Amino acid sequence: MSIKLISHTLIEKDGKYMLIKRSKIKRGLPNVYPSYWDIPGGSVEENELPNEAALRESMEEVNQKLRINKIIHEDSQFDASKDTVFTRLVYAGEILEERDFILDPEEHTDFIWISSLKDIESNLVVPYLLEILADKSK
């Protein structure tokens, strides 16, 4: 069995949270959760700390330099088909230096700022993010 660590950042600005829409096709293959809203994040690479991965992914996916404040969510699941435990860490982050938002169309097709889940169709949000945003909407 292997273990895979994934880091994400929930970016907040003026009481709103940035979401990015996952592409339907990623590098020539069907994407996981196509057209769903998500937040910047991805795999922690070898010799990289989880918070460094979250910062790197935010630069790669939305071209934003961030400050990470704290971990706000953790979940793990076992994927029997890959014999792998996937653990996700989600950090709270804020923009340090605002830049133009540049999305990689291979990964994401749009971005929005929301105050709560009421601002979007919640059935098109990746499952782990529903829990996080539900807590923020209270």
Side-chain angles (χ1 to χ4, degrees):
M1 177 178 68
S2 62
I3 298 173
K4 184 94 168 164
L5 188 56
I6 303 163
S7 289
H8 290 268
T9 306
L10 180 63
I11 301 170
E12 182 179 3
K13 178 183 169 193
D14 301 327
K16 293 190 173 201
Y17 304 97
M18 190 198 58
L19 304 184
I20 50 181
K21 186 176 271 191
R22 298 174 66 87
S23 62
K24 291 181 182 180
I25 303 294
K26 181 177 177 181
R27 293 174 188 42
L29 299 171
N31 203 352
V32 178
Y33 291 108
S35 301
Y36 276 57
W37 292 104
D38 200 353
I39 55 177
S43 296
V44 177
E45 296 177 354
E46 190 173 337
N47 298 318
E48 184 178 47
L49 296 173
N51 62 339
E52 294 170 340
L55 293 171
R56 175 183 50 76
E57 289 286 348
S58 293
M59 281 299 295
E60 289 175 4
E61 294 185 358
V62 294
N63 192 41
Q64 298 301 305
K65 186 174 182 179
L66 306 179
R67 174 183 13 255
I68 288 178
N69 300 318
K70 63 182 177 178
I71 294 174
I72 58 171
H73 177 84
E74 178 274 328
D75 67 77
S76 296
Q77 62 188 38
F78 177 68
D79 184 334
S81 68
K82 297 179 180 174
D83 195 32
T84 302
V85 172
F86 290 90
T87 297
R88 176 189 344 271
L89 299 176
V90 179
Y91 294 88
E94 60 185 287
I95 296 173
L96 279 178
E97 173 188 315
E98 192 153 357
R99 305 166 173 210
D100 290 338
F101 283 86
I102 300 171
L103 301 176
D104 176 354
E106 279 287 316
E107 291 194 41
H108 302 98
T109 59
D110 200 4
F111 75 93
I112 56 170
W113 290 93
I114 66 166
S115 299
S116 73
L117 284 172
K118 297 173 195 155
D119 295 343
I120 55 172
E121 284 187 63
S122 62
N123 62 335
L124 290 178
V125 176
V126 292
Y128 79 92
L129 194 51
L130 286 172
E131 179 183 330
I132 295 168
L133 292 173
D135 288 345
K136 299 288 184 189
S137 297
K138 291 179 181 175

